[in-house]
Amino acid sequence: MDFGLVLQTDPPASRVVSLMKRAERNGFRYGWTFDSAVLWQEPFVIYSQILANTQKLHIGPMVTNPGTRTWEVTASTFATLNDMYGNRTVCGIGRGDSAMRVAGRKPNTLARLGEAIDVIRDLAEGREAEVDGNPLRLPWVRDGKLPVWMAAYGPKALALAGEKADGFILQLADPYLTEWMVGSVRQAAERAGRDPDALTICVAAPAYVGEDLAHARDQCRWFGGMVGNHVADLVGRYGEHSGMVPDALTEYIKAREGYDYSHHGRAGNPSADFVPDEIVDRFCLLGPPEAHIEKLRTLRDLGVDQFAVYDMHDAQEATIDAYGQHVIPALGS
């Protein structure tokens, strides 16, 4: 199993770079950041510094979207970083939540997302692609490689990930839901004539190592609020108890009363007060190292290739070090 570190690009950028260097020293193979231009600093600028200050770490957004930047700009940015640092980027992509909504736009449609996946990959790898009816190619790309991993929750999005993406990003660590969603993605890949086992499966969730579970839950409760945004969209689209989305995912948002993006992804987010302890325990990894290892073994047995640690809480360095000392040696590939 590979391990990744997920950060927000809060200033100073030097701290983001420092934490990524620390992660690599501790055996992490991937470094991810949020991508929301209004809420945080521009990640692609910081990626250049991370790549320059690490040797093998692969870097990418968790996640970008088709609407913030034009597709040729996104592809060219990835291709430039790869040309400079040796094909060490990954494009995590989704419909767009905070980046689009904070800017007053709606998340992208799945049709647009599916088209963007193909175009961005093709351009970044040096092939011709059609953008807004115009055939384009980046003539300077040589031996470019850009895996595109798609984030998804709902049935249509899961199907799209299986049909088009190189990897699937699931932003929660509940074994029951992981099994259901990974199964849906792989079934879609098989229906599309693809090798379902060729898709990389990445589970991303907060991890907090320590004995004080009450404190750990409070530090990670924000994650249930963030996931709740996507779940609310699914309930609005499919309805409650529709059979299209497991009740185990949708039941907990009944007490949800809106969401304030100014606290997005942060410990103490007041918009996450509705999230019960049970959901925090199911969606996150909490407790001593042994508890993390046990849950990660379960996820690995369900086909998860990478666990990406959301490290937005008051124990960032301690979590990275604890994973490096205890968890990664027990499970790392």
Side-chain angles (χ1 to χ4, degrees):
M1 177 180 271
D2 284 333
F3 288 84
L5 182 72
V6 189
L7 300 173
Q8 295 169 336
T9 51
D10 288 312
S14 58
R15 175 164 171 77
V16 178
V17 176
S18 176
L19 289 170
M20 290 297 186
K21 290 169 62 178
R22 191 184 196 106
E24 185 177 59
R25 290 197 303 269
N26 276 281
F28 288 77
R29 293 188 59 200
Y30 286 79
W32 304 93
T33 75
F34 283 34
D35 178 15
S36 189
V38 174
L39 296 177
W40 302 288
Q41 292 186 330
E42 171 57 36
F44 286 95
V45 177
I46 300 171
Y47 293 163
S48 190
Q49 286 295 304
I50 296 170
L51 289 163
N53 283 276
T54 56
Q55 284 70 54
K56 296 182 179 179
L57 202 68
H58 286 68
I59 298 296
M62 190 175 280
V63 293
T64 193
N65 69 84
T68 297
R69 305 170 188 86
T70 60
W71 301 348
E72 70 274 16
V73 170
T74 298
S76 182
T77 304
F78 278 114
T80 300
L81 291 171
N82 283 337
D83 187 64
M84 293 172 68
Y85 300 106
N87 287 338
R88 288 167 54 200
T89 66
V90 182
C91 177
I93 194 167
R95 293 177 60 229
D97 178 32
S98 63
M100 298 299 287
R101 289 182 164 120
V102 168
R105 306 184 186 104
K106 293 182 179 179
N108 297 269
T109 65
L110 288 176
R112 181 172 171 82
L113 175 56
E115 186 180 356
I117 288 172
D118 289 336
V119 168
I120 291 168
R121 184 199 291 119
D122 283 344
L123 290 176
E125 295 186 347
R127 295 183 294 275
E128 183 178 286
E130 189 172 290
V131 181
D132 296 329
N134 299 307
L136 298 178
R137 188 174 70 84
L138 305 180
W140 49 267
V141 173
R142 298 289 183 272
D143 301 318
K145 185 65 178 175
L146 182 66
V148 181
W149 298 3
M150 180 182 154
Y153 291 107
K156 292 181 180 178
L158 294 169
L160 181 63
E163 292 162 3
K164 288 187 175 288
D166 302 299
F168 165 51
I169 297 171
L170 174 58
Q171 292 164 316
L172 53 80
D174 176 72
Y176 171 79
L177 293 170
T178 297
E179 183 175 19
W180 185 84
M181 293 185 183
V182 169
S184 296
V185 169
R186 287 188 166 152
Q187 289 168 17
E190 193 167 9
R191 288 194 302 269
R194 308 178 72 201
D195 179 1
D197 294 325
L199 271 75
T200 302
I201 307 298
C202 175
V203 161
Y208 198 105
V209 181
E211 300 288 346
D212 188 345
L213 284 178
H215 181 73
R217 287 173 181 137
D218 286 343
Q219 286 292 303
C220 298
R221 199 175 307 276
W222 62 265
F223 184 66
M226 186 182 83
V227 174
N229 292 333
H230 303 285
V231 176
D233 284 347
L234 295 176
V235 170
R237 189 174 300 118
Y238 299 109
E240 292 186 49
H241 312 298
S242 64
M244 299 293 287
V245 183
D247 290 347
L249 180 61
T250 61
E251 282 293 319
Y252 85 99
I253 68 162
K254 289 182 176 179
R256 180 179 181 270
E257 297 179 356
Y259 191 82
D260 182 354
Y261 280 94
S262 65
H263 304 285
H264 188 58
R266 299 188 187 278
N269 184 347
S271 298
D273 289 348
F274 71 95
V275 180
D277 288 350
E278 176 198 1
I279 289 294
V280 182
D281 292 347
R282 281 172 47 198
F283 284 11
C284 305
L285 276 79
L286 312 174
E290 295 76 20
H292 292 245
I293 292 168
E294 181 181 3
K295 190 167 186 177
L296 287 169
R297 282 178 174 153
T298 299
L299 293 171
R300 184 184 61 183
D301 291 345
L302 294 174
V304 175
D305 300 297
Q306 178 184 154
F307 177 62
V309 175
Y310 275 108
D311 203 24
M312 280 74 79
H313 48 57
D314 65 1
Q316 289 182 305
E317 289 90 349
T319 298
I320 294 169
D321 294 346
Y323 263 67
Q325 183 177 357
H326 302 289
V327 180
I328 293 176
L331 291 155
S333 55

